[in-house]
Amino acid sequence: MNLLITGGAGFIGSHLIWQVIDQPEVTKIVNLDCLTYAGHLENLEGIHGTHPRYLFEQVDLRDKDAVLRVIRQHDITHVMHLAAESHVDRSITGPADFITTNINGTFHLLEACRTHWSDPASSIQHRASRFLHVSTDEVYGSLAPTAPAFTETTPYAPNSPYSASKAASDMLVRSYHHTYGLPTLITHCSNNYGPRQHPEKFIPVIIQSVLQRQPIPVYGDGMNVRDWLYVSDHCQALWTLLTTGKTGETYNIGGQNEQTNLHLVQQICDLIDELDPSLGGNSRSLITFVPDRPGHDRRYAMDTAKISSELRWQPVHTFEVGLRETVSWYLEHQHGARAVTHGFLAEVSRHY
Ligand code: NAD
Ligand code: DAU
């Protein structure tokens, strides 16, 4: 398997590379990433520049010729496509990059694979290859509090420029399977958490606010619900799907772990109070309600019966264990002067 992972310097992509690089099926992994504000090679310290199976291509998906060059030069047989603009708040304040990267970038990657895998001079028979497209649960829209969870047949109803751009890219992937027979799979996953997540995302925002004794910004009434999944469980699902999933199909992935934002914040406050009493305790007093995100989806919930019955995938981490590991990692990496060992952890940015 000559495996291309796009977005490998990001949060999930870097965990995925750590998890699959030593799998016996893998001949080499090519990490294609242009290193936006969200991409950090520190996430791959110990692999980048040292692992014999690992190669890095600093390429922007928006550069169509460069994408084709990478697919050809490395004779790519399998693709796990994660590179994207991924933060909903940024898509509200500046949607343009979401359109060009998430839609045009995916189009360029599909075209490159179609070209290479159908080229008689290529060593790849396209039936032996796979294109796994990593999408999101947000394409399904928002659920009422007691509505049944999203299934793979729930109609699309994206509400933010981010989810609309992901939905558009899903449609392109679908069409390449239907029209050209490209061996695609599409995944819809719920909210991931774990070490090394970019500091703009909610769980790192909470942890850093508590550590710095700053107000913890909770949008609206804090009653929005997300289904949280530990990142390595997501990566395990992606690998299972790449190797044994059925092409042409879509699969939901989730943690069966719905939490209101307010309850999530309270648990993290209590955990930090327990793990680091030197901070003074009573971290819940930092909780601060702030104006809501425009168009804020109320609830996501995933029905994962398909992946669990067809492929026997289940998350391994309970939320209690995963959250403890995550918070411990941040405490370890930010202790001392409350300084940041990885420079990127300092990049907390508020957008409106
Ligand atoms: P991230 O923002 O942490 O990382 C994205 C990576 O993509 C970065 O390394 C960035 O440099 C790279 N990238 C962005 N634009 C690029 C371009 N034009 N060309 C090349 N590289 C580019 O994202 P993440 O949270 O790891 O999410 C990865 C994927 O998983 C995304 O497709 C996202 O939609 C999807 N997803 C994320 C979650 C989640 O909770 N984080 C849940 C479900 C699905
Ligand atoms: O559901 C999957 C999606 O999860 C992925 O597709 C996205 O790439 C990923 O960013 C994530 O989107 P969310 O918008 O759900 O994640 P975020 O961490 O930005 O916010 C989680 C919840 O917390 C959401 O209801 C908004 C709220 N929030 C967020 C921030 C950053 C706050 O209340 N305060 C904050 O400061």
Side-chain angles (χ1 to χ4, degrees), residues 86-89 136-138 162 189-191 200-202 205 217-219 224 226 228 261 293 296 300 350:
S86 70
H87 192 44
V88 174
D89 290 336
T136 171
D137 58 357
E138 300 200 9
Y162 162 70
C189 190
S190 61
N191 286 63
E200 68 193 354
K201 303 283 166 59
F202 193 35
V205 164
V218 175
Y219 296 163
N224 300 71
R226 296 292 183 268
W228 293 94
N261 290 339
R293 169 186 281 175
H296 196 175
Y300 306 137
R350 313 291 321 141

Side-chain angles (χ1 to χ4, degrees), residues 52-70:
R53 290 183 180 177
Y54 171 86
L55 294 152
F56 178 58
E57 288 278 5
Q58 186 166 0
V59 162
D60 193 320
L61 283 171
R62 291 169 286 195
D63 182 343
K64 189 175 185 190
D65 294 341
V67 173
L68 179 58
R69 195 265 305 152
V70 169

Side-chain angles (χ1 to χ4, degrees), residues 25-81:
E25 295 92 334
V26 171
T27 309
K28 66 180 169 192
I29 287 182
V30 179
N31 173 16
L32 182 157
D33 198 304
C34 72
L35 303 180
T36 66
Y37 77 96
H40 298 275
L41 292 174
E42 294 93 328
N43 289 340
L44 295 162
E45 227 169 76
I47 291 182
H48 184 82
T50 55
H51 199 292
R53 290 183 180 177
Y54 171 86
L55 294 152
F56 178 58
E57 288 278 5
Q58 186 166 0
V59 162
D60 193 320
L61 283 171
R62 291 169 286 195
D63 182 343
K64 189 175 185 190
D65 294 341
V67 173
L68 179 58
R69 195 265 305 152
V70 169
I71 299 285
R72 278 189 168 140
Q73 184 176 320
H74 300 288
D75 201 15
I76 294 301
T77 59
H78 292 69
V79 173
M80 299 175 96
H81 176 33

Side-chain angles (χ1 to χ4, degrees), residues 228-240:
W228 293 94
L229 177 68
Y230 196 62
V231 60
S232 64
D233 285 325
H234 182 195
C235 294
Q236 186 55 49
L238 295 178
W239 179 252
T240 303

